[in-house]
Amino acid sequence: MPRDNQIPQLLERLSGPLSQDKLESLSKEFQSLTQDRAETLTFFVLENVCRTLARTLEGEAVSVRRFHDLTNGIAEEIKDVLRAVQNATQDVEKLQSLVGLLFRNLALYRK
């Protein structure tokens, strides 16, 4: 995928609902970008967020409500981070917000 098209294509993929398959696929793409782009920390965090969510869903049937508890707001936060990369305005606070949301959602999911 040409570098200029990577972020817009990822943003487009995030416009639909998240699923375990999508989270696994995004995790792999973010891992690849960790090695190909200057924004190593950003893509490392994105990879780990998606991988953590996908692994949490492995091997169990999940109700719609519980899935929503786990993924609520995650796609929007990832899009915010990707837009910052696209605009060359990396913001560590956006990454902290995403990771904080991940841990809140995980706590809700486990209740």
Side-chain angles (χ1 to χ4, degrees), residues 32-70:
S32 175
L33 290 170
T34 298
Q35 299 169 24
D36 292 344
R37 304 272 306 228
E39 303 88 352
T40 304
L41 174 64
T42 299
F43 290 110
F44 178 79
V45 170
L46 293 174
E47 172 200 351
N48 281 282
V49 166
C50 291
R51 186 169 14 107
T52 298
L53 291 171
R55 285 188 177 161
T56 300
L57 294 167
E58 275 180 2
E60 67 177 281
V62 178
S63 71
V64 172
R65 179 179 172 272
R66 289 187 42 85
F67 183 81
H68 180 71
D69 287 345
L70 183 62

Side-chain angles (χ1 to χ4, degrees), residues 16-33:
L18 291 177
S19 67
Q20 183 178 359
D21 290 339
K22 186 182 278 190
L23 289 166
E24 289 171 355
S25 173
L26 287 168
S27 176
K28 289 175 186 172
E29 287 187 52
F30 292 141
Q31 180 183 29
S32 175
L33 290 170

